[in-house]
Amino acid sequence: MANRKKGILAEFQEFISRGNVMDLAVGVIIGGAFTAIVNSLVTNVISPLISFITGGSTEVPGMAVSLGGNTVDFGAFLGAVINFLITAAAVFAIVKSLNALNEMKEKAAQKVGLVKDEAKEEPPAPRLCPYCRQEIPEDATRCPYCTSKLDGYKNDQDTRHLC
């Protein structure tokens, strides 16, 4: 039993020490901080501006229905949908601006010569048999389709080998 516990503890330690678990933990922490920034932007900047423009809050009042002592508040739901759309638009704007900033930074680094342009290598054109026009491997000396002799073919013996 002690050996099994030690094995589980060792497995757990190995699991935790993997790079992807640490990356996930950092991502969650950064995501939490980013959530606070986005919530502050929406709550403190965008929602007051919308309230000023519309003359009220972002919630939709007067859409509640009472059913057997329970209240179904469609207005609160619509307000939550509106807040979600505002938050999604804010996140989109932030990500879009960060991507544009990174692109400008990369272009500036390339212009200065700090980063070299990646040579985009195109894959070589497929080799075609000059007789039957079928695609053949680069190292082939005979066409597997029409059995024509290709560049590099040499027959050391006059006898034919049947495969």
Side-chain angles (χ1 to χ4, degrees):
M1 181 97 171
N3 190 19
R4 184 167 184 239
K5 283 185 181 178
K6 187 175 182 182
I8 290 174
L9 289 175
E11 285 182 46
F12 182 70
Q13 182 181 6
E14 180 184 335
F15 171 75
I16 290 298
S17 64
R18 287 185 189 162
N20 55 358
V21 172
M22 293 301 179
D23 292 342
L24 179 63
V26 169
V28 168
I29 292 167
I30 295 294
F34 187 70
T35 300
I37 291 171
V38 171
N39 285 340
S40 175
L41 174 68
V42 171
T43 304
N44 300 322
V45 178
I46 296 175
S47 290
L49 288 174
I50 290 175
S51 293
F52 176 74
I53 292 170
T54 60
S57 70
T58 56
E59 291 185 17
V60 183
M63 295 187 68
V65 176
S66 181
L67 298 173
N70 295 320
T71 303
V72 179
D73 193 355
F74 293 107
F77 174 72
L78 287 176
V81 169
I82 291 169
N83 284 336
F84 168 76
L85 293 174
I86 292 169
T87 304
V91 169
F92 176 76
I94 290 170
V95 170
K96 187 98 168 141
S97 62
L98 287 176
N99 286 343
L101 182 67
N102 283 337
E103 189 175 308
M104 287 177 14
K105 186 173 74 171
E106 287 177 12
K107 284 182 181 179
Q110 286 177 352
K111 200 175 225 182
V112 173
L114 296 175
V115 178
K116 295 181 181 178
D117 289 333
E118 294 179 14
K120 294 182 181 178
E121 293 184 27
E122 294 183 24
R127 183 176 176 206
L128 299 178
C129 173
Y131 303 102
C132 68
R133 308 301 297 163
Q134 293 291 323
E135 187 174 331
I136 55 175
E138 287 298 319
D139 59 347
T141 57
R142 290 195 81 142
C143 176
Y145 301 100
C146 68
T147 69
S148 299
K149 296 176 185 175
L150 305 171
D151 291 337
Y153 176 81
K154 54 184 168 179
N155 189 0
D156 293 338
Q157 300 173 351
D158 285 333
T159 59
R160 299 187 92 166
H161 297 282
L162 298 175
C163 298

